[in-house]
Coordinates of all heavy atoms in Angstrom, one line a residue:
S234 N 5.2 111.6 -263.4 CA 5.6 110.4 -264.2 C 6.2 110.8 -265.5 O 7.2 110.2 -265.9 CB 4.4 109.4 -264.5 OG 3.7 109.2 -263.3
I278 N 5.7 107.0 -257.8 CA 5.3 107.9 -258.9 C 4.7 107.1 -260.0 O 3.7 107.6 -260.6 CB 6.5 108.7 -259.3 CG1 7.0 109.6 -258.2 CG2 6.2 109.6 -260.5 CD1 8.3 110.4 -258.6
T281 N 1.0 105.3 -258.9 CA -0.2 106.0 -258.5 C -0.2 107.3 -259.2 O 0.8 107.9 -259.5 CB -0.2 106.3 -256.9 OG1 -1.2 107.3 -256.7 CG2 1.1 106.8 -256.4
E282 N -1.4 107.8 -259.5 CA -1.6 109.0 -260.2 C -1.8 110.1 -259.1 O -2.2 111.2 -259.4 CB -2.8 109.0 -261.1 CG -2.5 108.1 -262.4 CD -1.2 108.5 -263.1 OE1 -1.1 109.6 -263.5 OE2 -0.4 107.6 -263.2
Ligands
ZN502 ZN1 1.9 109.6 -262.6

Side-chain angles (χ1 to χ4, degrees):
S234 311
I278 296 178
T281 166
E282 290 309 303

